[in-house]
Structure formats: structure tokens, C-alpha cells
Amino acid sequence: AAAAAGDAGPFQTPFLVAVGAWALSTAALGPTLPAYAADLTPADQRGLGLAAFRSAGDVGFVVAPLALGFVADASSTPVALAALAASAATSAVVFGVLNERKA
């Protein structure tokens, strides 16, 4: 009955803060990532570059939940979440290394 009334218990405030942070980060990254991809693409191939960028994101939205579901089923949810965190951290490091500015 409490859940039906909108009370999520002790996790309601942290959940709402996390959702707010996620929304702000999505709003900030939404326009910046395609602009960055466009900057890296030669002008005569910009359409293809943005299409490849968008397609990669769409594939990720399909494949990642399936893969993490398989990991969670094969092991546990904490292991799947750790795999997700490791994947995100690895992606950030690779991005940073590949895009290091030369002085």
C-alpha cells in the first residue's frame, strides 16, 4: 500500500537525487557528443560520421541490457553492475588516451 501511495521508503531521496544527476548529465552530453563527433569527421563525410555515431549508440542501447542480463543471470546483479562500471571506466580511459591533446 505504501508503494502504491508513492512512498519508496528510505531509498526514495537517494533515488531521486540519482535520477536528477542522470538527467542533468544526459542534458549536458546530449548536444556535446554529436558535436564532438562532427568536429572529428571531415566535412564531406559528416553525414556518414554522425550516422555511425548514432548507430553505435543505438546498438549499445540494445546490446548492453541484454549482455548485462545474461551476466546477472549467470552470476549475480552486483557482478553485472560491476561489469557495467568497469565498461564505463574503460571507455572513459580509452577516450582520454585516444583524444589526448599534443602540446
Side-chain angles (χ1 to χ4, degrees), residues 11-26:
F11 299 109
Q12 183 171 5
T13 299
F15 175 76
L16 292 175
V17 169
V19 168
W22 172 75
L24 289 173
S25 67
T26 300

Side-chain angles (χ1 to χ4, degrees), residues 3-91:
D7 181 17
F11 299 109
Q12 183 171 5
T13 299
F15 175 76
L16 292 175
V17 169
V19 168
W22 172 75
L24 289 173
S25 67
T26 300
L29 284 177
T32 56
L33 292 177
Y36 186 72
D39 285 347
L40 294 177
T41 308
D44 63 329
Q45 296 179 343
R46 196 148 292 149
L48 179 62
L50 289 175
F53 167 78
R54 188 66 229 165
S55 294
D58 291 343
V59 168
F61 277 117
V62 172
V63 172
L66 293 172
L68 290 175
F70 286 127
V71 171
D73 287 345
S75 54
S76 67
T77 300
V79 170
L81 293 176
L84 177 61
S87 173
T90 301
S91 296

